[in-house]
């Protein structure tokens, strides 16, 4: 549970108190009483001490937002708020083969957009900084398997 230090006339916020607004509640587990310098300490509680209180009102606390994430695993989950607050959907990157085998390509045309080297650049093609394969010269596109069955 929770422990509170209270004085007479003090207003206090207590979590999960099952009482209606305006109801009287009493707390009989008192650990320490200070009466103008006369201190009594319980072992663990004082048997003849009690704190009486009146419930002013009930309110909800702040909403708890749970966000779980595992680094470098592509896993993240958010609980506690509506789905519109997730806000993690990115724009599509439109990856893939842009010109297929047998199609005509001008010099500089994009043949394949990719992440990493799923496809390797062959003759008359070059690999861009973002692994995009471009045509180096105009001609017909062909795909073939290379060493160790690579594309």
């Amino acid at each position: 549970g929770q422990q509170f230090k209270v004085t007479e006339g003090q207003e206090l916020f207590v979590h999960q108190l099952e009482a209606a607004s305006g109801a009287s509640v009493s707390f009989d587990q008192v650990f320490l009483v200070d009466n103008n310098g006369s201190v009594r300490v319980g072992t663990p509680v004082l048997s003849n001490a009690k704190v009486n209180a009146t419930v002013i009102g009930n309110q909800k606390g702040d909403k708890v937002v749970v966000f779980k994430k595992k680094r470098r695993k592509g896993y993240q989950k958010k609980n506690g708020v509506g789905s519109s607050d997730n806000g993690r959907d990115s724009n599509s990157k439109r990856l893939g083969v842009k010109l297929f085998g047998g199609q005509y390509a001008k010099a500089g045309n994009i043949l394949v957009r990719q992440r990493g080297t799923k496809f390797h650049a062959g003759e008359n093609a070059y690999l861009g900084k973002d692994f995009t394969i471009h045509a180096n010269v105009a001609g017909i596109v062909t795909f073939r398997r290379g060493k160790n069955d690579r594309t």
Side-chain angles (χ1 to χ4, degrees):
Q2 294 178 319
Q3 297 181 10
F4 298 99
K5 178 182 175 184
V6 294
T7 58
E8 193 171 343
Q10 177 183 355
E11 288 186 9
L12 185 68
F13 179 78
V14 179
H15 294 279
Q16 297 179 337
L17 183 64
E18 296 287 329
S21 183
S24 293
V25 290
S26 64
F27 302 97
D28 56 353
Q29 290 190 333
V30 178
F31 297 113
L32 185 137
V33 173
D34 182 5
N35 230 351
N36 295 332
S38 170
V39 178
R40 293 186 305 157
V41 179
T43 55
V45 294
L46 293 169
S47 58
N48 56 352
K50 185 191 278 189
V51 174
N52 294 320
T54 305
V55 178
I56 297 172
N58 293 320
Q59 69 182 40
K60 286 187 175 182
D62 292 337
K63 186 171 270 196
V64 177
V65 177
V66 179
F67 184 74
K68 298 176 181 178
K69 179 176 180 167
K70 294 193 188 313
R71 294 193 314 159
R72 299 183 297 272
K73 304 289 185 255
Y75 168 79
Q76 50 191 7
K77 188 151 190 80
K78 189 173 185 183
N79 292 340
V81 287
S83 60
S84 61
D85 286 343
N86 290 342
R88 290 187 304 272
D89 199 13
S90 60
N91 297 330
S92 65
K93 303 300 176 221
R94 296 164 178 91
L95 303 176
V97 178
K98 304 302 175 188
L99 289 176
F100 293 89
Q103 288 184 304
Y104 179 76
K106 295 179 185 176
N109 274 10
I110 295 172
L111 305 177
V112 180
R113 278 221 187 265
Q114 60 184 349
R115 296 290 173 259
T117 52
K118 183 173 181 176
F119 292 92
H120 296 268
E123 296 174 31
N124 298 324
Y126 64 95
L127 199 64
K129 187 171 75 171
D130 62 346
F131 298 103
T132 300
I133 299 177
H134 299 268
N136 220 5
V137 296
I140 302 296
V141 177
T142 57
F143 289 94
R144 60 181 168 80
R145 300 257 177 213
K147 181 181 173 186
N148 295 334
D149 208 29
R150 291 184 178 145
T151 49

